[in-house]
Amino acid sequence: MEESNNYDHQHPLLLILNQEQLIDYQSGVTDCSRCGEKVSTPCLCCAEHCGFYLHKVCADAPLELNHPFHLNHPLLLMQNAPYSPGGYICNFCGKGGYDFVYHCSCNFDFHIKCALFTFNIAENNLKELEHVPLQHPLISTENGDEKLKDAAKCFVCWEPLEKYTHFCPDFGFNSHEKCAKLPFKLNHVCHRKHPLVLQFNSQRLPCKICGETNREAIGFVYGCSPCKFVVHIECASQSPLQVIKSTNHGHPFTLFLRQVPFTCDACGVEGNHVAYTCGTCNIIIHKNCISLPRIIKSKWHDHRLLHTYFHHIEDFGVLICMICHDEVDTEHGSYYCSKCNVIFHVHCVTEDKRSYSIVSLENEDEIPYESSITVLESNDAGEATKIKNFKHIHNLILSPFVGRYENRCDGCLLPISGPFYSCSFCAFFLHKACAELPKMKDVWHHLCREPLALISDKAFECLECLNLYNAFAYECCGCETKICLPCVIALTPGARTYLKHEHPLFYYREHKGKCNACGNTTGSAFWCKDCNFVLHTDCFSLPITAYHKCDQHLLSFTDHNDNSYSESYYCDICEKTRDLNRWFYRCATCDTSAHVGCVLGKYSFLKHRSIYEEKDHPHPLIIVKKKYYYPDCSKCSKPCEDVALECSKPECKYIVHWDCVAPDYLQSWWMWCM
């Protein structure tokens, strides 16, 4: 034990050379005051026992370090990182810290131990690991067995450790044996100007061979800093004459080293430098595109999607990607559905690996989600004429539309039109399409990415249109959020036509514009790029036709360009003026015009006669809307002129406004176009 300089500490420091001396000197487990890790010998400790300790390596760390893995600038040793609140993430190990740091003004940071360890590795070309025996980094399991650490990564390539590894007990870093023997400099045929140096990819440059980028910038790459040229270690080790067999093409691909820009025939995206070619078909592609799956099942579409290298233009009516809505180049690769004739960019449909699965066999049958109906009888054409729907207790009979406008579909709550199923025992109606909905459904725009289950008779606020709803809907099996049926249908990927608009509309999760229907600013919207026509999701989901007691006919949702027939603009329901720039409902036969809010009401999407459980009343309550007489509310004593809850037992005579008893989140705060 001997005294040393105090390294800016207020008391003298003692140099402790072995572990026995340290145990005698310290009172408990102590940490190094620079790196924050458990102190070990050789180290320095305060002679006055104030708890100050330094590893000898940390104490001797230079104040400035010209690190070969960060060639652009020197690294400065700082007591705290210059960020708020002083923490940082080490660019080597990816772990955070609040202690001393080697910092560069370009936001490059190293723990002290990481900086010194990697500096020594670079200087010695990994030679310092040669004396360390090969071994597994093991942990003990609950039953006493040992296994390889699942989280153990090679500090060079940052891939999981396999087989035998170099292990450095002094610093706790592990390396594959092959990575420990990598040369510090490398001459590579892909970059003949300069040698490539083993370094950190601090600028997060993409690999010039495979095109991928390690966003965390951890691990090493071979790079040329002046040319901003980076190659992954694995890619750099591949033979220039490498031949790779493709799972998506009948012939193998060969590495092509002509360093010129090209457009990948598999995905249609531009590439630089290294490519792979098929000499038989004259196809040139990115390395990663060699492994593109031939067939996938995507959350973006109900049917499987097939990959192809080119299309004939006449195969598709609309060459628009169903995800980004930009044009698809048919001379290069894309995914398409042969049943629906819709097309997708490769990068759009495969960008998120959680959103698709690979279909291994081309003749593998598609397994759709279970239907919500059981067919009891069919006609000669194979059309189901008598069914059992799992959301209704009675059998349903297929019926033709006979113009009974007052009847609404119990699935979507829109007026009955076209073929529908009806119940002969009760007033229950379902559009044919609503009756045949699957019990489970994938909904691409739902961020939880879990399948959604078909539900009914649950009152909720729709996640998309914010309407209160209790008819058919889909509920996420993960986060339990609910989306009404009209929104699920409207947001299914594909082109949408609307009213008199001549171009297809596509849905954009983020689009700021002015809605043509209500005039308000949008966050997400249906948008026509050709003429900048915009509709809110909730405006798009409004019923095209609606029934109201003010008119014997169906009212049609109408564009303001159609109201030139009238010299004044009034609502025939509330008798107040209408904004001529806002859409409205109109009956052309009777010359009736009305605000959207007046026609639909505050709770247009709550299904009448359905049961609602209210805790403060002993009997089940039924959702009703009185049309002709208005009994007084049992809570507020005012007439029940809007949606109310009525006791299912006639002798009870209990009735309350919906707003008087429903929770706040089930009360409407918004009325369209009033």
Side-chain angles (χ1 to χ4, degrees):
M1 186 183 303
E2 61 183 72
E3 290 194 8
S4 176
N5 68 62
N6 63 1
Y7 294 93
D8 295 325
H9 186 62
Q10 58 185 341
H11 305 136
L13 299 179
L14 301 177
L15 176 63
I16 299 179
L17 298 175
N18 58 65
Q19 198 66 25
E20 289 76 12
Q21 290 177 322
L22 178 62
I23 293 174
D24 293 338
Y25 193 80
Q26 65 183 1
S27 57
V29 177
T30 53
D31 297 329
C32 173
S33 298
R34 280 197 170 177
C35 72
E37 299 218 349
K38 181 180 178 181
V39 71
S40 59
T41 56
C43 65
L44 299 167
C45 63
C46 177
E48 301 294 332
H49 299 276
C50 73
F52 183 84
Y53 290 85
L54 287 178
H55 289 120
K56 186 68 167 63
V57 173
C58 294
D60 294 340
L63 299 179
E64 183 176 300
L65 191 65
N66 293 310
H67 201 292
F69 290 164
H70 186 70
L71 301 174
N72 298 331
H73 315 106
L75 304 178
L76 302 180
L77 184 62
M78 305 175 65
Q79 185 171 356
N80 298 105
Y83 315 116
S84 178
Y88 64 93
I89 302 296
C90 175
N91 283 76
F92 174 70
C93 68
K95 298 178 181 178
Y98 286 89
D99 303 293
F100 277 70
V101 59
Y102 273 105
H103 173 76
C104 175
S105 58
C106 61
N107 295 336
F108 190 87
D109 301 289
F110 271 155
H111 291 122
I112 289 182
K113 67 167 189 174
C114 293
L116 298 178
F117 177 65
T118 52
F119 180 82
N120 292 333
I121 287 176
E123 291 295 306
N124 299 322
N125 195 20
L126 301 176
K127 297 297 183 183
E128 74 168 34
L129 294 181
E130 288 189 352
H131 70 284
V132 180
L134 296 175
Q135 54 183 288
H136 285 297
L138 299 174
I139 58 173
S140 297
T141 60
E142 294 181 357
N143 58 9
D145 297 333
E146 290 186 326
K147 65 176 183 178
L148 187 67
K149 285 183 180 179
D150 292 335
K153 304 283 186 178
C154 171
F155 69 80
V156 178
C157 67
W158 215 253
E159 292 295 325
L161 292 168
E162 297 175 354
K163 300 181 179 180
Y164 292 102
T165 65
H166 276 289
F167 180 62
C168 182
D170 294 334
F171 290 93
F173 298 126
N174 307 290
S175 166
H176 294 116
E177 181 180 3
K178 63 178 182 179
C179 293
K181 295 180 179 180
L182 289 171
F184 182 64
K185 289 187 178 181
L186 182 71
N187 293 314
H188 199 277
V189 293
C190 293
H191 190 69
R192 300 180 185 274
K193 294 181 181 179
H194 312 108
L196 303 181
V197 179
L198 196 64
Q199 58 184 265
F200 283 105
N201 187 11
S202 56
Q203 294 182 312
R204 293 170 170 79
L205 299 173
C207 172
K208 293 299 183 181
I209 292 181
C210 71
E212 289 192 348
T213 303
N214 183 343
R215 295 181 181 178
E216 292 79 17
I218 52 180
F220 299 155
V221 294
Y222 277 108
C224 174
S225 296
C227 301
K228 297 187 181 300
F229 185 96
V230 165
V231 176
H232 290 146
I233 292 173
E234 179 185 359
C235 296
S237 64
Q238 293 170 352
S239 167
L241 300 178
Q242 183 185 23
V243 176
I244 300 179
K245 186 178 180 180
S246 171
T247 58
N248 191 15
H249 190 64
H251 312 122
F253 287 91
T254 304
L255 186 63
F256 180 63
L257 296 176
R258 186 180 178 187
Q259 299 181 19
V260 293
F262 67 96
T263 300
C264 176
D265 287 315
C267 69
V269 176
E270 185 176 296
N272 291 307
H273 300 285
V274 178
Y276 284 78
T277 63
C278 171
T280 306
C281 304
N282 197 27
I283 291 175
I284 183 169
I285 67 174
H286 298 116
K287 178 191 175 187
N288 288 349
C289 289
I290 295 175
S291 58
L292 276 176
R294 165 68 178 154
I295 307 172
I296 63 173
K297 183 68 178 70
S298 172
K299 292 181 73 72
W300 288 90
H301 197 64
D302 291 335
H303 307 132
R304 61 180 59 185
L305 303 178
L306 290 79
H307 179 269
T308 187
Y309 285 90
F310 68 93
H311 289 287
H312 297 292
I313 295 179
E314 57 270 19
D315 292 342
F316 294 89
V318 179
L319 292 172
I320 301 295
C321 174
M322 294 295 103
I323 300 176
C324 72
H325 316 314
D326 290 332
E327 187 174 356
V328 177
D329 183 0
T330 57
E331 294 184 0
H332 300 287
S334 59
Y335 279 99
Y336 73 101
C337 173
S338 58
K339 294 183 179 180
C340 304
N341 285 341
V342 294
I343 196 167
F344 300 82
H345 287 123
V346 169
H347 58 87
C348 287
V349 81
T350 61
E351 183 177 18
D352 186 349
K353 293 184 178 179
R354 298 175 301 169
S355 67
Y356 72 94
S357 59
I358 299 174
V359 178
S360 56
L361 300 175
E362 292 202 23
N363 59 354
E364 183 179 328
D365 292 333
E366 291 191 64
I367 304 177
Y369 282 127
E370 183 183 359
S371 174
S372 58
I373 68 170
T374 302
V375 178
L376 302 178
E377 294 179 8
S378 301
N379 57 23
D380 294 339
E383 187 177 33
T385 56
K386 185 177 182 180
I387 65 169
K388 176 74 175 177
N389 186 281
F390 84 117
K391 290 296 182 182
H392 191 66
I393 59 174
H394 304 133
N395 296 335
L396 303 177
I397 306 298
L398 185 64
S399 307
F401 176 59
V402 293
R404 296 169 62 188
Y405 298 131
E406 69 275 12
N407 292 331
R408 295 198 299 174
C409 172
D410 285 272
C412 64
L413 295 184
L414 298 180
I416 287 293
S417 61
F420 66 97
Y421 289 99
S422 62
C423 177
S424 57
F425 294 96
C426 54
F428 185 85
F429 306 91
L430 284 179
H431 287 123
K432 190 172 185 294
C434 295
E436 296 172 350
L437 290 167
K439 289 184 178 180
M440 304 288 292
K441 186 175 178 63
D442 290 320
V443 180
W444 69 268
H445 52 82
H446 184 56
L447 300 180
C448 188
R449 302 192 183 280
E450 293 290 332
L452 278 70
L454 183 64
I455 61 171
S456 67
D457 300 327
K458 289 185 180 180
F460 67 94
E461 181 183 72
C462 175
L463 178 68
E464 297 293 338
C465 67
L466 304 183
N467 282 318
L468 300 182
Y469 205 87
N470 76 329
F472 280 16
Y474 280 93
E475 181 179 39
C476 177
C477 298
C479 64
E480 298 185 354
T481 55
K482 302 169 184 66
I483 305 173
C484 71
L485 185 57
C487 285
V488 169
I489 295 172
L491 299 180
T492 299
R496 294 287 179 268
T497 55
Y498 196 80
L499 293 177
K500 300 186 182 82
H501 193 69
E502 59 180 333
H503 305 130
L505 302 179
F506 292 94
Y507 176 70
Y508 290 79
R509 172 59 70 180
E510 296 181 1
H511 178 79
K512 189 174 183 180
K514 185 177 181 181
C515 177
N516 286 63
C518 68
N520 296 325
T521 302
T522 64
S524 59
F526 288 87
W527 181 38
C528 171
K529 289 184 176 180
D530 296 330
C531 53
N532 200 29
F533 179 83
V534 180
L535 286 178
H536 275 116
T537 305
D538 43 3
C539 292
F540 182 90
S541 298
L542 287 172
I544 301 299
T545 57
Y547 176 78
H548 192 272
K549 64 181 181 180
C550 71
D551 199 288
Q552 61 179 328
H553 306 110
L554 279 176
L555 304 176
S556 299
F557 196 33
T558 305
D559 184 312
H560 68 272
N561 291 325
D562 288 342
N563 62 11
S564 58
Y565 63 88
S566 178
E567 296 181 359
S568 58
Y569 307 101
Y570 290 93
C571 172
D572 288 313
I573 296 176
C574 69
E575 298 183 348
K576 296 179 181 179
T577 58
R578 291 186 293 104
D579 184 345
L580 66 134
N581 292 316
R582 293 194 171 202
W583 294 8
F584 60 99
Y585 280 103
R586 179 196 175 205
C587 172
T589 304
C590 303
D591 199 16
T592 301
S593 300
H595 292 123
V596 171
C598 290
V599 172
L600 298 181
K602 292 172 64 177
Y603 300 109
S604 179
F605 300 102
L606 287 179
K607 185 165 60 174
H608 299 163
R609 310 308 303 174
S610 60
I611 300 295
Y612 180 83
E613 298 291 340
E614 209 277 301
K615 297 180 180 179
D616 294 336
H617 190 72
H619 310 138
L621 301 180
I622 300 173
I623 298 175
V624 297
K625 186 173 183 179
K626 297 298 182 181
K627 295 183 180 180
Y628 303 109
Y629 72 96
Y630 308 107
D632 292 340
C633 172
S634 299
K635 291 281 187 181
C636 69
S637 300
K638 295 179 181 179
C640 291
E641 295 179 343
D642 209 326
V643 173
L645 294 170
E646 186 176 52
C647 184
S648 58
K649 296 183 178 297
E651 65 273 13
C652 185
K653 305 299 183 183
Y654 178 85
I655 186 169
V656 291
H657 287 114
W658 174 271
D659 285 344
C660 287
V661 294
D664 291 342
Y665 67 90
L666 289 180
Q667 294 187 20
S668 178
W669 53 268
W670 168 87
M671 188 176 290
W672 203 93
C673 290
M674 287 297 291

